Amino acid sequence: MGFSRNNEKIVIFTDLDGTLIDHKDYSYIDASKTLKSLKKINVPIILCTSKTRGEIEKYTDKLNLRHPFIAENGGVIFIPKDYFSFKYPFDKSMNQYNVIELGTPIKQLNKVIKQLKKDGFEIKTFSDMSVSELSKETGLTKMDTIRAKKREYDVAFKILNPKDKTEITKIVKTAGYNTSAGGRYHHLMGANDKGHAVKILTDLFRKKYGGSLKLKTIGLGDGENDIPMLKNVDIPVLVKNREHKKPEINFDVIYTTFEGPKGWSETINELLFESDSD
């Protein structure tokens, strides 16, 4: 499973919930040692998740990650200013980031949700839930719940009657939008997905490292909404998660033996740190 790192530059794209962090307690302790090893060899770790900017920044600060990240299921890319030494297109600058907007604004998405409710579908969005209610349901702290509710390009929602999923998906696609299932919730979004965002950043990294190094990308995720990301990396890894149905995948992936950060760490170690023994 290992591969040579000679003349290669590795970039890792990873989901958070159920992948790098535990599905239930949001801990990444089982991946801590591997994260430190990756930092020593200067491997960029690009968080690519359905979480909002505020939620992701909590982890980039904790893990001291100063790299671009992808928020709200590929709705937006945040790139630290001066990260790339060359010019590239972006939509706006804010705080310390250059921002590439790929998603549909939340106001427009909320109109779709409103119509679905009007049509009689029982759905409940983060906006419909109080901070206390969402905190209790997710296990997030109240501060993290407030961060989770500040969505700009993606509506997270529950389908109260699972039998409605197929019909809702059909209606949404007919209207020109997309739905996807994460670890806990469904997501309504525009034409964006994690894969498109990964492709954009991969091209920027390829330009950054030039012709002297071959770029090798690894992607790790656990859910349906991670499939577009996994399709757009060199080495896709599906992390085991018994909390939800395993997504159907029609391409070659590595399946982890363990769940969450333990499975994440297991596979990264085999790919990058045990190649000498293969």
Side-chain angles (χ1 to χ4, degrees):
M1 192 182 289
F3 59 81
S4 170
R5 287 187 280 115
N6 293 336
N7 298 318
E8 288 182 338
K9 181 61 184 180
I10 292 113
V11 175
I12 294 174
F13 292 92
T14 180
D15 180 41
L16 277 173
D17 286 351
T19 303
L20 180 55
I21 62 176
D22 186 83
H23 185 85
K24 292 180 179 177
D25 65 11
Y26 306 103
S27 168
Y28 54 83
I29 192 165
D30 285 333
S32 294
K33 189 175 178 182
T34 304
L35 287 165
K36 287 177 183 175
S37 298
L38 289 168
K39 193 162 189 180
K40 284 180 183 176
I41 61 171
N42 298 315
V43 172
I45 300 171
I46 311 301
L47 303 183
C48 181
T49 170
S50 63
K51 288 185 179 297
T52 63
R53 174 172 65 92
E55 292 178 280
I56 296 168
E57 285 177 328
K58 175 182 174 180
Y59 288 96
T60 57
D61 288 346
K62 276 186 173 183
L63 299 171
N64 194 27
L65 298 178
R66 298 294 176 254
H67 303 293
F69 58 83
I70 299 164
E72 299 191 47
N73 280 312
V76 59
I77 303 171
F78 293 94
I79 303 174
K81 291 177 181 176
D82 302 324
Y83 188 85
F84 296 112
S85 60
F86 51 86
K87 289 184 179 180
Y88 57 91
F90 57 89
D91 297 292
K92 64 182 180 181
S93 287
M94 58 176 289
N95 302 328
Q96 70 267 40
Y97 305 112
N98 291 329
V99 182
I100 300 175
E101 295 179 297
L102 302 171
T104 300
I106 195 81
K107 283 185 179 179
Q108 197 170 329
L109 297 175
N110 281 333
K111 290 178 183 177
V112 180
I113 291 290
K114 188 176 180 181
Q115 186 59 51
L116 286 169
K117 290 178 177 178
K118 198 173 179 180
D119 291 341
F121 293 105
E122 293 184 72
I123 54 181
K124 199 169 189 179
T125 71
F126 277 17
S127 296
D128 297 327
M129 302 169 76
S130 69
V131 171
S132 295
E133 183 183 2
L134 188 56
S135 176
K136 185 177 179 181
E137 186 169 290
T138 60
L140 292 169
T141 66
K142 289 195 174 179
M143 185 56 70
D144 285 340
T145 303
I146 291 168
R147 293 186 182 107
K149 283 168 70 71
K150 289 183 178 178
R151 311 193 74 79
E152 299 176 279
Y153 309 95
D154 170 298
V155 178
F157 66 99
K158 291 192 298 183
I159 299 174
L160 302 185
N161 184 352
K163 292 180 181 178
D164 289 338
K165 180 186 173 182
T166 302
E167 187 63 22
I168 288 173
T169 301
K170 185 179 176 182
I171 291 169
V172 166
K173 284 194 174 180
T174 302
Y177 300 91
N178 288 317
T179 61
S180 188
R184 286 183 174 83
Y185 301 98
H186 293 276
H187 296 267
L188 170 70
M189 50 201 168
N192 57 284
D193 60 34
K194 291 184 178 185
H196 184 202
V198 164
K199 282 175 73 175
I200 289 171
L201 279 180
T202 297
D203 286 342
L204 290 175
F205 274 110
R206 192 170 283 120
K207 189 173 180 180
K208 176 183 174 77
Y209 297 121
S212 60
L213 294 172
K214 182 183 177 183
L215 189 69
K216 180 81 76 171
T217 56
I218 302 172
L220 303 100
D222 71 307
E224 179 186 303
N225 62 333
D226 294 311
I227 293 175
M229 171 182 68
L230 298 181
K231 280 183 176 178
N232 284 282
V233 294
D234 297 312
I235 302 176
V237 180
L238 187 69
V239 178
K240 187 176 181 181
N241 189 336
R242 284 176 291 192
E243 294 294 328
H244 58 74
K245 186 181 176 183
K246 185 165 76 173
E248 293 181 14
I249 290 182
N250 58 2
F251 54 96
D252 289 337
V253 299
I254 294 171
Y255 292 92
T256 68
T257 305
F258 301 105
E259 295 186 71
K262 191 174 181 182
W264 189 98
S265 184
E266 162 208 24
T267 305
I268 293 297
N269 287 337
E270 288 180 4
L271 287 170
L272 299 183
F273 302 117
E274 296 177 12
S275 57
D276 292 341
S277 63
D278 290 350

